[in-house]
Amino acid sequence: PGSDGLKEDSTTVDGNDGSTSSASSSSTLTTTTTTRRQQQYDVYSRPLPMDPTNNMPLANPIAAARNSLPSPDQSTPLPTERVSSTIPKGGAGDSGATWTYPSPQMFYNALSRKGKLGDTKEEDLVSVVAIHNCMNEGTWERILQWEKVLHDDGSGNDDGSDASKTNAVPKTSLTKFLGRPTDLSPKAYFKHYFLNHPLPFDRHDWTVTRANADGSSSDVRYVIDYYHDETQANEEEGSGMPDMRAGIGPSEGSALRSLLVDVRPAADGVGELWGRLVSMPLARRGCRSMLECVLFKGEGSGRRSEFEPLPLAPSEGLKTNVEDSIKVWDNIQKSAAAKSEKEVEKEEATTETTTAAPAAISKTEAAEVASSFSKILSSCRDRKADLQSCDSDEECKRAFMGMTVCAGQFMCPLQHSSLMASLENHSGEANDEMVEAKIDTAFQVLGECVANYDKRAKDAREQFPEVFDEALKKG
């Protein structure tokens, strides 16, 4: 779930897949003078459109409305409330803004749009989001542990005292992130092929912005591999709904002990490489120099970093997960390849007309669809007559909308309810543009759902004509 990021930003334009978004990372640490507000990015690492008058992101009412509405293929209502993370948002200046986690509804919409729902049950999305949030908070906690070592502004006395140990991290924020589940990091490659370690089930690249004392800012990329240790899974009641700050990894008291995360700065420059090979190992021993570590046999007198790296070699428990991790990795690669094939087929479909084969449907499902159509014919008789007798384009458009709304209450009750709620609650909205966008989008979603249902009904009637004939006779 983590690959879908922290926030489905209100300014995100639907339609692009984060796994194929291009997000270039500098090969060296870059420093930028903060004379203007920093560029902000959406969940797919795309630059957000900015208002040149104030350097703030432009709002996208359609995307914001779409995020709070059910998907056309959805049947169970999901919560739309969102939770603010503790992760400062890069580019937000001194506003104190943090990234906002997607609601279960937004998460479902993203998975549905990307074709990643698989066998995910709608009612499971609340738990999925809770685990996703906890995973990201645990990842950020480890990044801050790195930043305390690599970007310490010296405000602590580094003498081992409590004040030194709790030295605050300089202003650090998350600017953008990219899910790369099909790319194996060099470290993960080495661990698997040379040490027989399980493969990661996901990989992220997070770009962190550091605020420097001279007013400039510097960006550094972190590489994150996520592993699963089935032997540490918690089967207790309520374990699927962890608090976002409950912790991940094998630490005592962690809510998600089976979720292991390997966080480190990318080796994009000499500074990052030195930090990984020298600075962090010294900091974990409380040593302020290699000489101190040598003289005192690895027991320095300075403050010790709380960072605990994952061992290179797998534990006995992880060794049992190797075969499963390979299957997961293969499925990820196959899914990516299938998506590429679908994109090619989509391009070819624009120049070549093809007829899709009817979808398989059971007799029970056909009976349910036929029953719905019987109710529609009975309840929407006047709307159908309006549609058949309309003359002008405007009149036919209104008749079509009326028929869609009437049929939608039987075909797509969830989407129909969302449209009705948008119409009823519009008086409480202060933003006319947002109100119009929500109503238009809710009708569009209902229309898509009705069209999908109509296609399903056509397939059902072709396969079970006798079921439809019997239902229509009763109606």
Side-chain angles (χ1 to χ4, degrees), residues 267-301:
D268 291 336
V270 176
E272 291 75 36
L273 195 57
W274 181 266
R276 289 172 60 168
L277 298 178
V278 180
S279 300
M280 179 56 83
L282 290 178
R284 292 186 59 238
R285 292 166 175 79
C287 298
R288 286 160 291 193
S289 68
M290 286 187 281
L291 179 60
E292 182 181 2
C293 256
V294 172
L295 293 176
F296 295 95
K297 299 181 180 180
E299 296 294 331
S301 59

Coordinates of all heavy atoms in Angstrom, one line a residue, residues 267-301:
A267 N 23.3 6.6 -2.5 CA 24.7 6.8 -2.7 C 24.9 7.7 -3.9 O 25.5 7.4 -4.9 CB 25.5 5.5 -2.9
D268 N 24.3 8.9 -3.8 CA 24.3 9.9 -5.0 C 25.5 10.8 -4.9 O 25.8 11.6 -5.9 CB 23.1 10.7 -5.0 CG 21.8 9.9 -5.3 OD1 22.0 8.9 -6.0 OD2 20.7 10.3 -5.0
G269 N 26.3 10.7 -3.9 CA 27.5 11.6 -3.8 C 28.4 11.1 -2.7 O 28.1 10.2 -1.9
V270 N 29.6 11.7 -2.6 CA 30.6 11.3 -1.6 C 30.1 11.5 -0.2 O 30.3 10.7 0.7 CB 31.9 12.1 -1.8 CG1 32.9 11.7 -0.7 CG2 32.5 11.8 -3.2
G271 N 29.3 12.6 0.0 CA 28.8 12.9 1.4 C 27.9 11.8 1.9 O 28.0 11.4 3.0
E272 N 27.0 11.4 1.0 CA 26.0 10.3 1.4 C 26.7 9.0 1.7 O 26.4 8.3 2.6 CB 24.9 10.2 0.4 CG 24.0 11.3 0.2 CD 24.6 12.5 -0.5 OE1 25.4 12.3 -1.4 OE2 24.3 13.6 -0.1
L273 N 27.7 8.7 0.8 CA 28.4 7.4 0.9 C 29.2 7.4 2.2 O 29.3 6.4 3.0 CB 29.4 7.2 -0.3 CG 30.0 5.8 -0.5 CD1 28.9 4.8 -0.6 CD2 30.9 5.8 -1.7
W274 N 29.9 8.6 2.6 CA 30.6 8.7 3.8 C 29.7 8.6 5.0 O 30.0 7.9 6.0 CB 31.3 10.0 3.8 CG 32.1 10.3 5.1 CD1 31.7 10.9 6.2 CD2 33.5 9.8 5.3 NE1 32.7 10.9 7.2 CE2 33.8 10.3 6.6 CE3 34.4 9.2 4.6 CZ2 35.1 10.0 7.2 CZ3 35.7 8.9 5.1 CH2 36.0 9.3 6.4
G275 N 28.5 9.2 4.9 CA 27.5 9.0 6.0 C 27.1 7.6 6.3 O 27.0 7.2 7.4
R276 N 26.9 6.8 5.2 CA 26.5 5.4 5.4 C 27.7 4.6 5.9 O 27.4 3.7 6.8 CB 26.1 4.9 4.0 CG 24.7 5.4 3.6 CD 24.3 5.0 2.2 NE 24.2 3.5 2.0 CZ 23.7 2.9 1.0 NH1 23.2 3.7 0.0 NH2 23.6 1.6 0.9
L277 N 28.9 4.8 5.4 CA 30.0 3.9 5.8 C 30.7 4.3 7.1 O 31.3 3.5 7.7 CB 31.0 3.9 4.6 CG 30.5 3.3 3.3 CD1 31.6 3.4 2.3 CD2 30.0 1.9 3.5
V278 N 30.7 5.7 7.4 CA 31.5 6.2 8.5 C 30.6 6.9 9.6 O 30.6 6.5 10.7 CB 32.6 7.1 8.0 CG1 33.4 7.6 9.2 CG2 33.5 6.4 7.0
S279 N 29.9 7.9 9.2 CA 29.2 8.8 10.1 C 28.2 8.0 11.0 O 28.2 8.1 12.2 CB 28.5 9.9 9.4 OG 29.5 10.7 8.7
M280 N 27.3 7.3 10.3 CA 26.3 6.5 11.1 C 26.9 5.4 12.0 O 26.5 5.3 13.1 CB 25.2 6.0 10.2 CG 24.1 5.2 10.9 SD 23.3 6.2 12.2 CE 22.1 7.1 11.3
P281 N 27.8 4.6 11.5 CA 28.4 3.6 12.4 C 29.1 4.2 13.6 O 29.0 3.7 14.7 CB 29.4 2.9 11.4 CG 28.8 3.0 10.1 CD 28.2 4.4 10.1
L282 N 29.7 5.3 13.4 CA 30.4 6.0 14.6 C 29.3 6.5 15.5 O 29.4 6.4 16.7 CB 31.3 7.2 14.1 CG 32.6 6.8 13.3 CD1 33.3 8.1 12.9 CD2 33.4 5.9 14.2
A283 N 28.2 7.2 15.0 CA 27.2 7.7 15.8 C 26.5 6.7 16.6 O 26.1 6.9 17.7 CB 26.2 8.5 14.9
R284 N 26.3 5.5 16.1 CA 25.6 4.4 16.8 C 26.5 3.9 18.0 O 25.9 3.3 18.9 CB 25.4 3.2 15.9 CG 24.3 3.6 14.8 CD 23.9 2.3 14.0 NE 23.4 1.3 14.8 CZ 23.9 0.1 14.9 NH1 25.0 -0.2 14.2 NH2 23.4 -0.8 15.7
R285 N 27.8 4.2 18.0 CA 28.6 3.9 19.1 C 29.0 5.0 20.0 O 29.8 4.9 20.9 CB 29.9 3.2 18.5 CG 29.7 1.9 17.9 CD 30.9 1.4 17.0 NE 30.7 0.1 16.5 CZ 29.9 -0.2 15.4 NH1 29.3 0.8 14.8 NH2 29.8 -1.4 15.0
G286 N 28.4 6.2 19.7 CA 28.7 7.4 20.5 C 30.1 8.0 20.2 O 30.6 8.7 21.0
C287 N 30.7 7.6 19.1 CA 32.0 8.1 18.8 C 32.0 9.3 17.9 O 31.2 9.4 16.9 CB 32.8 7.0 18.1 SG 33.1 5.5 19.0
R288 N 32.8 10.3 18.3 CA 32.8 11.5 17.5 C 34.0 11.5 16.4 O 34.1 12.4 15.6 CB 33.0 12.8 18.4 CG 31.7 13.1 19.1 CD 32.0 13.9 20.4 NE 32.7 13.2 21.4 CZ 32.8 13.6 22.7 NH1 32.2 14.8 23.0 NH2 33.4 12.9 23.5
S289 N 34.7 10.5 16.5 CA 35.8 10.3 15.5 C 36.2 8.8 15.5 O 35.9 8.1 16.4 CB 37.0 11.2 15.8 OG 37.6 10.7 17.0
M290 N 36.9 8.4 14.4 CA 37.3 7.0 14.3 C 38.4 6.8 15.4 O 38.5 5.7 15.9 CB 37.9 6.8 12.9 CG 36.8 6.6 11.9 SD 37.4 6.1 10.2 CE 38.1 7.7 9.6
L291 N 39.2 7.8 15.7 CA 40.2 7.6 16.7 C 39.6 7.3 18.1 O 40.1 6.4 18.8 CB 41.1 8.9 16.8 CG 42.2 8.9 17.8 CD1 43.2 7.7 17.6 CD2 42.9 10.2 17.9
E292 N 38.5 8.0 18.4 CA 37.9 7.8 19.7 C 37.3 6.4 19.8 O 37.4 5.7 20.8 CB 36.7 8.8 19.9 CG 36.0 8.6 21.2 CD 34.8 9.6 21.4 OE1 34.6 10.3 20.5 OE2 34.2 9.5 22.5
C293 N 36.8 5.9 18.7 CA 36.3 4.5 18.6 C 37.4 3.5 18.8 O 37.2 2.5 19.5 CB 35.5 4.2 17.3 SG 33.7 4.3 17.5
V294 N 38.5 3.8 18.2 CA 39.7 2.9 18.3 C 40.2 2.9 19.8 O 40.5 1.8 20.4 CB 40.8 3.3 17.3 CG1 42.1 2.4 17.6 CG2 40.3 3.1 15.9
L295 N 40.4 4.1 20.3 CA 41.0 4.2 21.7 C 40.1 3.6 22.7 O 40.5 3.0 23.7 CB 41.3 5.6 22.0 CG 42.4 6.3 21.2 CD1 42.5 7.8 21.5 CD2 43.7 5.6 21.4
F296 N 38.8 3.8 22.6 CA 37.8 3.3 23.6 C 37.1 2.0 23.2 O 36.0 1.7 23.7 CB 36.9 4.4 24.0 CG 37.5 5.6 24.6 CD1 37.9 6.7 23.9 CD2 37.8 5.6 26.0 CE1 38.5 7.8 24.5 CE2 38.4 6.6 26.6 CZ 38.8 7.7 25.8
K297 N 37.6 1.3 22.2 CA 37.1 0.0 21.8 C 35.6 0.1 21.4 O 34.8 -0.7 21.8 CB 37.3 -1.0 22.9 CG 38.7 -1.3 23.2 CD 38.9 -2.3 24.3 CE 40.4 -2.5 24.6 NZ 40.6 -3.5 25.6
G298 N 35.2 1.1 20.6 CA 33.9 1.3 20.1 C 32.9 1.8 21.1 O 31.7 1.8 20.9
E299 N 33.3 2.3 22.3 CA 32.4 2.8 23.3 C 32.7 4.3 23.5 O 33.4 4.7 24.4 CB 32.6 2.1 24.6 CG 32.2 0.6 24.6 CD 30.7 0.4 24.3 OE1 29.9 1.3 24.7 OE2 30.4 -0.6 23.7
G300 N 32.1 5.2 22.6 CA 32.4 6.6 22.6 C 31.6 7.3 23.8 O 30.7 6.7 24.3
S301 N 32.0 8.5 24.1 CA 31.3 9.2 25.1 C 30.2 10.2 24.6 O 29.6 10.9 25.4 CB 32.3 10.0 25.9 OG 33.0 10.9 25.1

